[in-house]
Amino acid sequence: MVFDASKKTFDSLRSSPSNYTSWKLNIEAVAKTHRLWRSIQGRQVEPEYVDAEALTAAEISAHDDWEDLRDQAAGMLWLCIEPDQQEHVKNVRNSPVRMWDTLENLHQAKTAAPRFASLINLLNVVRADDEPLMKFLARVTKLGGEWRELLPPTLSLNQLAEELQCVTAVCGISDSHETVAINLLQNNVDKLTIDAVRTAFYTEDNRPIIGGSSPAAMRVSYTPSLASPSSSSSRSAQAVI
């Protein structure tokens, strides 16, 4: 069955916003129905010749079939990605395996920065007022899958636990200390540790400002109160003193 790109029912791979997660699943399904998935995965082994100087008709036919599958797989991938993505695989367009690996490394780089961003998206997901629970759960599992895809195989359980603590801490201050949260993520793109978070939090808590008061003291001084005006004024004065 020859692949017809004009009849595909899913979007081509794009960079912004990236649709790699859904595209990857769709391509896998289409490749399997066209018997091309093993060629993309590198599991369609190239036939060997018993004697390269005396090829048999069967060997030539088997090798031609293998090349046809390889070329069809490469062509299918090329036709299912946007022009800007084609630039990334132009030099390896004759190898579906290298095309696939290049696109995966581009969109699912298993580095800390995209992993943190994906985890933050997962932790911040909130159900809409009129959203059915099953649809909400589907969004959660989709985001969870995207985050899991970014986990490197070398990441230990202890490292994962530390990352979860760090990202939870950053998310917890994103409203009150947005600048601190942003700086932590931008300055620790390769690895975010509890020590880095602890240092940033300590520095912020003890950062001097005009008047000699710390940010924490200033927040106490101006914390809104539900008490009566007189008692509120009294407490504010005590806090400032």
Side-chain angles (χ1 to χ4, degrees):
M1 184 190 305
V2 178
F3 174 72
D4 186 350
S6 65
K7 295 182 179 179
K8 69 182 179 66
T9 58
F10 57 92
D11 292 335
S12 295
L13 179 63
R14 60 178 181 269
S15 59
S16 182
S18 175
N19 61 337
Y20 180 78
T21 301
S22 59
W23 176 87
K24 177 181 179 180
L25 295 175
N26 286 321
I27 281 292
E28 179 180 342
V30 171
K32 286 178 177 177
T33 60
H34 288 76
R35 302 178 64 186
L36 299 175
W37 182 239
R38 285 189 295 171
S39 295
I40 292 175
Q41 292 294 292
R43 293 187 287 110
Q44 195 76 35
V45 182
E46 181 177 1
E48 295 182 355
Y49 301 122
V50 175
D51 184 354
E53 300 298 326
L55 305 181
T56 66
E59 289 174 335
I60 294 174
S61 177
H63 202 275
D64 285 345
D65 290 342
W66 176 83
E67 286 190 354
D68 286 342
L69 290 174
R70 180 200 60 189
D71 292 344
Q72 289 177 40
M76 184 188 71
L77 289 176
W78 181 268
L79 293 174
C80 289
I81 60 179
E82 295 288 347
D84 64 322
Q85 300 299 293
Q86 291 174 349
E87 286 297 316
H88 297 297
V89 297
K90 182 170 59 177
N91 294 332
V92 294
R93 64 186 181 277
N94 292 323
S95 170
V97 175
R98 295 182 64 185
M99 290 176 70
W100 183 264
D101 290 344
T102 299
L103 293 172
E104 182 177 49
N105 291 333
L106 178 66
H107 289 269
Q108 283 192 332
K110 291 178 171 56
T111 55
R115 187 164 69 247
F116 294 155
S118 182
L119 180 55
I120 289 173
N121 289 337
L122 175 60
L123 294 176
N124 287 338
V125 64
V126 177
R127 174 183 170 269
D129 291 339
D130 58 347
E131 184 178 21
L133 294 180
M134 290 303 295
K135 186 175 181 179
F136 168 66
L137 180 60
R139 286 201 297 122
V140 172
T141 55
K142 178 177 181 293
L143 291 171
E146 292 175 355
W147 170 66
R148 189 169 57 250
E149 288 282 346
L150 295 173
L151 296 177
T154 56
L155 191 70
S156 69
L157 183 59
N158 287 336
Q159 291 172 319
L160 178 60
E162 183 174 18
E163 284 194 359
L164 288 171
Q165 295 174 53
C166 292
V167 173
T168 301
V170 170
C171 288
I173 67 166
S174 59
D175 291 335
S176 60
H177 297 78
E178 182 180 10
T179 301
V180 178
I182 292 175
N183 287 339
L184 270 170
L185 294 176
Q186 290 182 342
N187 296 332
N188 297 274
V189 294
D190 294 324
K191 184 179 181 181
L192 183 60
T193 65
I194 282 293
D195 286 341
V197 175
R198 183 179 292 112
T199 298
F201 281 18
Y202 179 84
T203 301
E204 178 64 15
D205 278 343
N206 294 277
R207 178 171 58 87
I209 60 175
I210 297 175
S213 298
S214 68
M218 291 298 292
R219 284 194 294 275
V220 171
S221 301
Y222 292 95
T223 299
S225 173
L226 297 178
S228 62
S230 58
S231 60
S232 175
S233 300
S234 175
R235 276 197 298 273
S236 295
Q238 292 174 359
V240 172
I241 294 173

